């Protein structure tokens, strides 16, 4: 089921553009490549079972980008999960889509890959009836902050010393 990457069954082509990459659903065989991108591009590492459990629960919103000429090669990924937490505007518990992680290999950046990954994954995680999209990002990570602002995320608060090295995070939110 959906494991043959060459079948293009789950491939998405960004609309109206002729691009060098495809965005498709992640499969269990892709996790190694996803982890490789994560380890190269982000200081936050997760154990294999963490990726696997997210893939099992939220596979429609766990997407990878691959060059058209090599659909086995992972050049970027995005993964989301759903959680229940108080809304930013009231204390009511609501369902939120939490952007767990997104990254694109340095060589392939600034060509719209992350934009395509968000474009395709946000509607997929919305299907869980979430009310907000949320994420944390390092306050120094201007590239990612710009990306999220472009997608109309707004900083709701600062989480002090959120990262292990002591850096603060912006907690960014977008209503669905
Ligand atoms: N400088 C300024 N703004 C940037 C830059 C940059 N170098 N790169 C991306 N952006 C912003 C811009 O607003 C850009 O729009 P524009 O090109 O029209 O100006 C917008 O992001 C979209 O750019 P894309 O080409 O779609 O983004 P890209 O594929 O390069 O990926 C990403 C962006 C994911 C932030 C990439 O730089 C990356 O992998 N960084 C390392 C990993 C990382 O920081 N991930 C986010 C951590 S937070 C979290 O995961 C919840
Ligand atoms: Zn988070």
């Amino acid at each position: 089921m959906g494991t043959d990457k060459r079948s293009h069954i789950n491939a998405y082509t960004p609309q109206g553009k002729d691009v060098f990459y495809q965005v498709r659903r992640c499969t269990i065989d892709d996790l190694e490549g996803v982890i490789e991108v994560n380890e190269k591009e982000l200081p936050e590492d997760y154990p294999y079972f963490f990726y696997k459990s997210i893939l099992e629960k939220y596979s429609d919103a766990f997407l990878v980008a691959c060059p058209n000429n090599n659909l086995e090669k992972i050049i970027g990924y995005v993964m989301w999960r759903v959680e229940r937490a108080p809304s930013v505007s009231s204390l009511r518990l609501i369902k939120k889509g939490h952007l767990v992680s997104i990254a694109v290999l340095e060589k392939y950046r600034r060509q719209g890959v992350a934009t395509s990954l968000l474009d395709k994954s946000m509607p997929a995680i919305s299907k869980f009836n979430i009310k907000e999209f949320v994420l944390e990002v390092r306050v120094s990570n201007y590239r990612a902050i710009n990306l999220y602002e472009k997608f109309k995320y707004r900083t709701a608060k600062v989480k002090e010393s959120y990262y292990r090295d002591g850096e603060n995070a912006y907690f960014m939110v977008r209503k669905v």
Side-chain angles (χ1 to χ4, degrees):
M1 210 189 73
T3 49
D4 181 2
K5 296 182 201 93
R6 287 172 202 84
S7 70
H8 294 215
I9 283 172
N10 295 316
Y12 301 106
T13 310
Q15 283 175 345
K17 275 194 256 167
D18 205 6
V19 289
F20 70 94
Y21 62 90
Q22 290 192 10
V23 171
R24 59 172 177 78
R25 281 169 63 175
C26 183
T27 69
I28 192 85
D29 299 333
D30 295 319
L31 285 185
E32 218 176 296
V34 167
I35 292 170
E36 232 176 88
V37 174
N38 170 269
E39 287 180 351
K40 266 196 195 134
E41 307 302 345
L42 278 169
E44 286 70 47
D45 300 339
Y46 310 102
Y48 180 83
F49 72 80
F50 178 76
Y51 291 92
K52 189 163 172 273
S53 73
I54 293 213
L55 181 60
E56 281 163 0
K57 288 193 195 123
Y58 309 112
S59 62
D60 287 352
F62 195 149
L63 306 181
V64 294
C66 317
N68 290 331
N69 61 5
N70 186 357
L71 296 182
E72 309 276 304
K73 183 180 165 68
I74 308 301
I75 62 167
Y77 69 87
V78 64
M79 59 192 207
W80 291 82
R81 70 177 170 208
V82 175
E83 59 198 25
R84 256 173 216 284
S87 139
V88 274
S89 44
S90 73
L91 288 176
R92 218 159 39 90
L93 283 187
I94 57 166
K95 273 210 279 183
K96 304 181 179 198
H98 190 127
L99 178 60
V100 177
S101 187
I102 182 169
V104 174
L105 285 180
E106 186 141 31
K107 179 176 165 200
Y108 298 95
R109 288 193 197 156
R110 214 64 202 267
Q111 297 177 77
V113 176
T115 299
S116 294
L117 288 167
L118 283 181
D119 266 342
K120 300 298 177 188
S121 62
M122 286 170 59
I125 201 68
S126 303
K127 301 238 160 80
F128 287 89
N129 266 322
I130 57 164
K131 300 281 180 267
E132 293 172 356
F133 302 104
V134 300
L135 61 90
E136 292 96 7
V137 59
R138 286 178 181 267
V139 296
S140 65
N141 192 350
Y142 65 94
R143 298 181 181 91
I145 294 165
N146 281 346
L147 169 71
Y148 303 140
E149 284 179 344
K150 234 179 134 177
F151 275 82
K152 303 200 160 64
Y153 286 74
R154 297 294 174 246
T155 299
K157 62 182 171 190
V158 176
K159 292 192 179 182
E160 304 277 341
S161 301
Y162 180 77
Y163 296 98
R164 242 179 299 172
D165 61 8
E167 186 166 351
N168 293 347
Y170 289 132
F171 181 66
M172 300 185 77
V173 179
R174 192 189 122 164
K175 296 272 174 222
V176 172

